[in-house]
Amino acid sequence: MNTVSQRPEFFELHNGSKSPLPFSAAEYERRLTALRQLMSDRGLRAVLLTSMHNVAYYSGFLYCSFGRPYACIVTETGCTTISANIDLGQPWRRSYGDNLIYTDWKRDNYWRAVNHVLPETDLVGIEGDHLTLTARRKMESLNSHLQAEDISNDIMTLRMIKSAEEIALIKGGARIADIGGAAVRDAIQTGAREIDVAMAGRDAMELAIARDYPDSEIRDTWVWFQSGINTDGAHNPVTTRQLESGDILSLNTFPMISGYYTALERTLFLEEVDPASLKIWQANVEAHELGLSLIKPGARCSDICAEINAHFAELDLLQYRTFGYGHSFGVLSHYYGREAGLELREDIDTVLEPNMVVSMEPMLTIPEGQPGAGGYREHDILVLTENGSENITGFPYGPDHNVISR
């Protein structure tokens, strides 16, 4: 008997009952309605979403790939997640809509499950910035009548305007980032290791998420706490370096709630700050405050960038700027997701609108061996309103607050 041939290529399994999702049914219907309008405008019969952020945005399910492909297929009437058998019932419980499980008994069962949901579809929208060339060739080889059209920029634009429910969750995340920041600050002392300080902030945030969002899956919250030369990059990982008096420090707390990222980032000094460092720090704080004043509806991302550039150029510091001055928030993380059309950079001409959410985060890095060496960064989150913006970050910044003495 060939038992392999008797195993299913894919199947449905409603194991347990549906779990509470991050947002209401009305919110998911709002998102799907907007996507279906886009489909109608582009002449699409379906959309094949494959990235973690878009699958989560439209279904509520945040997958763990581990080398396996996942999807959310949106048609004119349905929304179906495609998941691997290793997860069994969890994807269905965490999905708004249906779920189809594919097995790994036979190669390409994922695409057989996808094609099962797309039996009559000719033109399908895809994420061209996520679906690999190999995956696209496989898709087309197994479904010769299928034609793919890249709509990644269109769906990114849909995500950039946040709903009231999204903004409420983002505000909760910003508040928890402040809790993590307070725990980090309390753990800072001479001789402490970066990892010890980082764990204090992470633990505080995860406890707060578990308390305030008890129905969420607790995952992915992290802290980057850097000291001395390790502050030169915004995304430098935590080490076991021990803190020394006079160190420049970089506090970065990142609570993750159901795939939604928020952040708090602050420059600090341990015990004392030398005059050269103080001068650079104050210049970056001035840039931060200038940027905060520029965040309002009607402002163009590139114009905001130009004004802060002019500030640094006047101080002969522009050459030490390391990246753009801010970015959007929503379903994103350090390893998935990005709304690249809403970043405060020279090459982004997006005009800010109410209900967008952006950061202001100027950073200067002075190379080792020069006076004031180190990386200086402040980071606040702002929600665009009808007439201006609301700063939802509460942790204080600047030399008056963040020279830590023990």
Side-chain angles (χ1 to χ4, degrees), residues 5-273:
S5 64
Q6 295 179 336
R7 295 174 174 175
E9 297 171 337
F10 51 83
F11 63 96
E12 293 183 67
L13 177 64
H14 298 173
N15 194 41
S17 57
K18 288 282 191 178
S19 301
L21 294 179
F23 302 103
S24 68
E27 170 65 10
Y28 288 107
E29 283 299 322
R30 180 196 69 80
R31 299 177 184 189
L32 291 167
T33 297
L35 181 58
R36 287 173 178 138
Q37 182 60 57
L38 172 63
M39 290 164 51
S40 176
D41 295 342
R42 298 287 292 269
L44 304 172
R45 296 290 304 279
V47 170
L48 173 65
L49 303 167
T50 51
S51 68
M52 291 181 74
H53 46 284
N54 277 319
V55 170
Y57 185 80
Y58 287 102
S59 74
F61 168 52
L62 187 65
Y63 67 72
C64 175
S65 174
F66 227 115
R68 297 177 174 88
Y70 287 72
C72 175
I73 300 173
V74 178
T75 64
E76 293 159 332
T77 58
C79 177
T80 304
T81 51
I82 308 294
S83 60
N85 194 20
I86 194 171
D87 299 323
L88 206 71
Q90 185 260 3
W92 176 79
R93 293 194 299 272
R94 292 283 175 177
S95 292
Y96 181 76
D98 299 321
N99 171 255
L100 197 61
I101 300 169
Y102 72 92
T103 66
D104 60 4
W105 320 133
K106 185 166 59 176
R107 188 177 299 277
D108 298 327
N109 279 349
Y110 167 81
W111 289 110
R112 293 184 179 91
V114 169
N115 288 333
H116 178 75
V117 182
L118 301 173
E120 305 297 332
T121 303
D122 292 319
L123 190 59
V124 59
I126 63 166
E127 298 178 70
D129 58 354
H130 184 268
L131 194 68
T132 66
L133 287 173
T134 299
R136 183 164 180 172
R137 291 190 190 105
K138 179 67 67 173
M139 177 183 72
E140 292 171 344
S141 69
L142 295 177
N143 194 337
S144 59
H145 73 277
L146 202 64
Q147 297 181 13
E149 182 172 333
D150 180 20
I151 60 168
S152 54
N153 284 337
D154 300 277
I155 51 181
M156 174 189 68
T157 300
L158 291 177
R159 297 198 317 271
M160 280 163 35
I161 304 294
K162 311 305 177 189
S163 68
E165 289 190 32
E166 286 182 284
I167 290 172
L169 183 63
I170 292 169
K171 287 182 176 180
R175 178 179 51 78
I176 290 172
D178 286 345
I179 291 173
V184 166
R185 182 174 55 193
D186 290 345
I188 293 171
Q189 60 181 344
T190 302
R193 300 176 302 172
E194 289 179 2
I195 183 62
D196 300 319
V197 178
M199 287 191 296
R202 183 204 62 205
D203 290 350
M205 290 191 293
E206 289 192 332
L207 287 170
I209 293 170
R211 179 193 66 219
D212 297 343
Y213 297 91
D215 293 326
S216 67
E217 296 175 314
I218 312 298
R219 56 183 286 188
D220 301 333
T221 290
W222 85 103
V223 171
W224 281 325
F225 179 75
Q226 301 126 350
S227 63
I229 194 172
N230 294 337
T231 63
D232 66 345
H235 299 161
N236 292 350
V238 173
T239 74
T240 59
R241 183 185 183 275
Q242 291 184 303
L243 309 189
E244 301 174 3
S245 179
D247 271 347
I248 184 172
L249 309 173
S250 188
L251 176 162
N252 310 270
T253 62
F254 307 105
M256 293 291 297
I257 307 171
S258 300
Y260 273 68
Y261 160 101
T262 47
L264 166 70
E265 301 170 12
R266 289 289 184 259
T267 299
L268 309 94
F269 275 79
L270 180 54
E271 303 291 352
E272 58 184 3
V273 52

Side-chain angles (χ1 to χ4, degrees), residues 362-390:
M363 181 174 181
L364 296 173
T365 297
I366 310 300
E368 194 72 4
Q370 296 187 26
Y376 302 76
R377 186 169 70 260
E378 314 295 344
H379 178 297
D380 286 11
I381 303 173
L382 297 99
V383 177
L384 274 292
T385 63
E386 291 297 327
N387 301 309
S389 63
E390 177 188 359

